[in-house]
Amino acid sequence: MTITTGVPAPTRHTPLALARGFLTGGVVGTSLAALVVGGITANAPLFTTGLVLPVVYGLLYFLAGRPRRAREAAVVPRTALATIEGLKAIGGESSDIPVRFDLTVVPDDGPAFRVEATQDINLVDLGDYRPRDVVVVQYPADRPWRLRIVRRPTPEWEDRAASARLDAVPEAAKVAAPPEGCAFGFILFLGLLAGAAAVVLLFRSDLFDRDDTAEPPSAIKPSVSSTSSTTVVSSASGTVALGPGQSFLDKGELERAVGSLTRGEDSRQALTVVVQERLLSVVFAPTGAQVPGLDLKALPYDRFPALVTEAGTTLGVRDPRSWQIVTDRLAGPVVIRVVVTGPEGTASLEADSQGKVVRRLPAR
């Protein structure tokens, strides 16, 4: 059959999208600065603000996006035939594994195009997908890169797929999600700097004009500083900030940092543990409080680097710009949440107390 090819026009950033990027950067910068400044100055409300602010912003961001998601869900997706040019399993620790498909899609009323799509396929069904097989797919007309293979098509489409023979189209006709671009990245970075600068300026007197020698010995918060890291511990919280060129994904770095916060106390419990590239934040459970706590020495820190790698390579975020691990047991069992953010959006996965992945949420 004769195939014409064409690539949809790239999507440009609107002023609203750029404003949203600046606001997101501002929230990230403010949160990080609040955690660091709050830990250094022993300002508990500021430190708590650094923990709560991204959660509140994330909730508001989710609620604000509901009308858009409702509009997208109301659009009837297009159905078409596609040929599997290639496929590759890219990881997974359960019966459903993510598989990256390279497809040639041939719509009935439009030009053919190539697209890559990742979809979870059960191991039992993996043998049903082979190169040059014809499958039925669905996708939004304006976002063909969000294509999904229809596992149980209608009898009409199933008969068409069984009898169709589709030609491949060149790589030049491949479509993909439009990149964020330099403008969006610059606006995001500008917002991050503005948020961090605002916190530092507001609390500059606490940071630079403190006179620790005038305080009684009992009021001075224990602190350990070195050229490689800074550790601040109080009765309510603890933080460890690494120096340049270091990461908490480095082997043994997290265990050493947690040891500096607990100081050998086996019974000290925590409410939440937040790990970022160079910042570890722990909120301790109040003494005597009847709340579910975390045993800091029992967490699977050796699995954290692998979880971050999996979240950044198997959930649709090809170039992660930031990551965060949040561990708590507020709902009962220990839950380890890994969140990665990149040009494709935000993706996350959840693991249990042993570091075994139990849930995945691909980028949206």
Side-chain angles (χ1 to χ4, degrees), residues 292-319:
L294 295 168
D295 183 356
L296 288 174
K297 295 188 176 181
L299 295 178
Y301 299 112
D302 58 330
R303 286 280 301 143
F304 283 18
L307 292 175
V308 173
T309 299
E310 181 171 346
T313 57
T314 67
L315 300 179
V317 180
R318 299 183 182 179
D319 185 20

Side-chain angles (χ1 to χ4, degrees), residues 29-40 46-52 54 199 239 274 276 279 281 324:
T30 301
S31 176
L32 292 176
L35 289 172
V36 175
V37 175
I40 294 175
L46 180 61
F47 187 87
T48 304
T49 299
L51 291 175
V52 174
V199 173
T239 61
V274 181
Q276 296 170 323
L279 182 66
S281 306
Q324 178 174 270

Side-chain angles (χ1 to χ4, degrees), residues 224-347:
V224 179
S225 299
S226 68
T227 57
S228 59
S229 66
T230 300
T231 303
V232 180
V233 186
S234 70
S235 60
S237 62
T239 61
V240 178
L242 297 180
Q246 296 176 282
S247 170
F248 277 117
L249 297 183
D250 296 339
K251 185 176 181 180
E253 199 66 62
L254 261 177
E255 290 88 338
R256 286 191 292 271
V258 171
S260 68
L261 293 179
T262 59
R263 298 177 188 160
E265 297 181 21
D266 296 332
S267 60
R268 193 156 201 189
Q269 300 284 298
L271 292 178
T272 59
V273 177
V274 181
V275 184
Q276 296 170 323
E277 186 72 39
R278 291 193 292 154
L279 182 66
L280 167 66
S281 306
V282 177
V283 177
F284 295 114
T287 303
Q290 300 299 317
V291 294
L294 295 168
D295 183 356
L296 288 174
K297 295 188 176 181
L299 295 178
Y301 299 112
D302 58 330
R303 286 280 301 143
F304 283 18
L307 292 175
V308 173
T309 299
E310 181 171 346
T313 57
T314 67
L315 300 179
V317 180
R318 299 183 182 179
D319 185 20
R321 294 179 177 175
S322 64
W323 59 267
Q324 178 174 270
I325 304 174
V326 180
T327 305
D328 59 49
R329 54 171 305 184
L330 302 179
V334 174
V335 178
I336 302 171
R337 299 180 183 84
V338 183
V339 181
V340 295
T341 303
E344 296 81 10
T346 298

Side-chain angles (χ1 to χ4, degrees), residues 10-242:
T11 302
R12 297 185 180 276
H13 291 297
T14 64
L16 180 60
L18 295 177
R20 190 185 301 119
F22 181 82
L23 182 59
T24 300
V27 169
V28 173
T30 301
S31 176
L32 292 176
L35 289 172
V36 175
V37 175
I40 294 175
T41 61
N43 187 328
L46 180 61
F47 187 87
T48 304
T49 299
L51 291 175
V52 174
L53 181 61
V55 177
V56 174
Y57 177 74
L59 178 61
L60 294 176
Y61 191 92
F62 173 79
L63 294 176
R66 290 185 65 180
R68 174 183 56 81
R69 291 192 296 272
R71 290 193 302 269
E72 292 177 355
V75 176
V76 178
R78 287 187 176 180
T79 304
L81 297 179
T83 300
I84 300 176
E85 304 294 348
L87 69 161
K88 178 181 179 182
I90 54 177
E93 299 180 0
S94 62
S95 58
D96 290 337
I97 61 173
V99 178
R100 182 175 296 156
F101 291 91
D102 183 9
L103 301 165
T104 290
V105 183
V106 184
D108 290 340
D109 55 353
F113 59 89
R114 288 278 288 270
V115 66
E116 284 189 357
T118 301
Q119 186 166 335
D120 288 347
I121 302 296
N122 192 281
L123 285 171
V124 177
D125 302 327
L126 191 58
D128 296 337
Y129 300 94
R130 298 180 298 272
R132 302 311 304 163
D133 281 356
V134 178
V135 294
V136 181
V137 298
Q138 288 185 335
Y139 59 92
D142 57 340
R143 298 181 307 279
W145 49 86
R146 292 193 176 182
L147 173 146
R148 307 292 292 175
I149 295 175
V150 180
R151 299 183 182 180
R152 294 179 179 83
T154 62
E156 177 188 356
W157 280 101
E158 191 172 10
D159 292 342
R160 289 185 59 182
S163 59
R165 294 294 180 269
L166 307 179
D167 298 332
V169 299
E171 289 282 340
K174 181 171 289 187
V175 300
E180 294 291 356
C182 296
F184 186 86
F186 176 76
I187 291 295
L188 186 71
F189 180 68
L190 192 63
L192 189 148
L193 289 181
V199 173
V200 173
L201 289 175
L202 285 173
F203 295 90
R204 62 184 182 277
S205 60
D206 295 334
L207 278 172
F208 304 116
D209 298 334
R210 294 184 305 156
D211 184 7
D212 291 341
T213 60
E215 299 183 20
S218 60
I220 300 177
K221 300 297 185 291
S223 174
V224 179
S225 299
S226 68
T227 57
S228 59
S229 66
T230 300
T231 303
V232 180
V233 186
S234 70
S235 60
S237 62
T239 61
V240 178
L242 297 180

